[in-house]
Amino acid sequence: MTINGRLESTHAGRDLLVTRHLPIAVDDAWRWVTESKLTSTWYGPWTGEARVGGIVDVTMNAEEGAPTSGFRIDECRAPGADGTGRLELASTGEPPFNWVTAIELAAVDGGATVTLRHVSIPTDIPLGDLGAGWEFYLDALVAAVEGRPGKGFDEVLDEVRDDYEALARVQSSPVLAQRGQGRRVTTCAGLDAVVQQPIVTGVSLSRATFGSSDSHCMVAAACGFHSSAMRAGSWTISAVPLTEMWP
């Protein structure tokens, strides 16, 4: 399984963004992330005041003991004419669990994208476990929409934890993490691509990083990389010296 998450630097620290495609209209996707009878199929049911500033209690079905957590609704914007919508929730829990998360929707050809944004992750929170958790829940959402069973958490954790931990290690180095964005590259299959996210060494990167549908090749020397082992849907960039990558 290729990780679908990326880290984004902000003035307050770092956000984790994990994205999935849903084969339904964006208005229907909004129902899946806001209506209790639907959220109960992939995350958990909720009760409370469904308004901005209101508090809702969410029962987390997949967690041991199905605990209930409180969240304040900071933003609740249904999809409009621009095809986007956003739901932002602030946990009422004690630190370090008083985090803010947002679900961002966008209409695309063939359906909608849903992006989970975990805002300002503390550096002492293990990204391997956190990333795996959000991968698990978004997989569960897609599975529920498609009417099929989803993967178990332990299976997802085994598949993605190492990649998320590697992503966290690289992100801790600002020099490495901020290189490469906007650079045009060519894949070995001859496809042009523009780097849409910062490129770093030693990390498995999803094909979305390169804005390319080519999923079975290595990045050519035009990018400054040496050879890279490939697996379907992701690139593992060789750990070459930074000066060789960007003189």
Side-chain angles (χ1 to χ4, degrees):
M1 177 180 181
T2 302
I3 64 171
N4 292 277
R6 60 187 177 90
L7 288 173
E8 183 176 282
S9 296
T10 69
H11 69 281
R14 57 177 187 167
D15 293 358
L16 173 65
L17 288 78
V18 186
T19 300
R20 289 292 191 282
H21 177 269
L22 298 176
I24 54 177
V26 69
D27 290 335
D28 291 329
W30 179 253
R31 294 179 54 234
W32 277 93
V33 302
T34 58
E35 294 185 9
S36 180
K37 66 180 180 181
L38 294 178
T39 61
S40 66
T41 65
W42 63 276
Y43 192 84
W46 59 267
T47 59
E49 302 176 81
R51 60 173 178 82
V52 174
I55 302 295
V56 294
D57 293 318
V58 182
T59 300
M60 304 169 71
N61 286 341
E63 305 294 329
E64 184 176 357
T68 296
S69 298
F71 294 89
R72 183 186 67 247
I73 301 174
D74 286 347
E75 184 176 358
C76 186
R77 177 172 54 83
D82 65 351
T84 68
R86 194 172 193 272
L87 175 68
E88 182 174 296
L89 304 171
S91 170
T92 60
E94 297 294 325
F97 302 108
N98 58 335
W99 49 47
V100 175
T101 54
I103 296 176
E104 301 167 347
L105 301 178
V108 296
D109 289 343
T113 58
V114 54
T115 297
L116 187 289
R117 177 185 291 269
H118 191 128
V119 179
S120 299
I121 304 168
T123 56
D124 58 347
I125 295 295
L127 194 64
D129 293 340
L130 184 66
W134 290 128
E135 294 275 4
F136 164 74
Y137 278 117
L138 289 186
D139 273 357
L141 170 58
V142 175
V145 168
E146 295 179 347
R148 57 176 176 79
K151 294 181 178 180
F153 175 72
D154 288 341
E155 181 182 359
V156 175
L157 181 65
D158 288 343
E159 291 177 349
V160 304
R161 177 167 50 189
D162 289 348
D163 282 348
Y164 272 107
E165 289 178 350
L167 183 63
R169 288 193 296 271
V170 173
Q171 185 70 10
S172 66
S173 171
V175 174
L176 285 177
Q178 294 173 8
R179 301 274 180 155
Q181 194 163 8
R183 182 177 290 265
R184 180 169 293 280
V185 301
T186 303
T187 67
C188 67
L191 295 178
D192 286 334
V194 174
V195 179
Q196 296 178 340
Q197 301 171 25
I199 291 191
V200 293
T201 62
V203 177
S204 296
L205 301 168
S206 71
R207 61 191 177 197
T209 302
F210 294 97
S212 169
S213 61
D214 179 16
S215 60
H216 298 279
C217 69
M218 60 186 179
V219 177
C223 188
F225 294 118
H226 292 179
S227 62
S228 251
M230 294 304 304
R231 68 172 185 266
S234 67
W235 291 262
T236 302
I237 306 304
S238 300
V240 300
L242 188 64
T243 55
E244 292 184 29
M245 294 169 59
W246 289 283

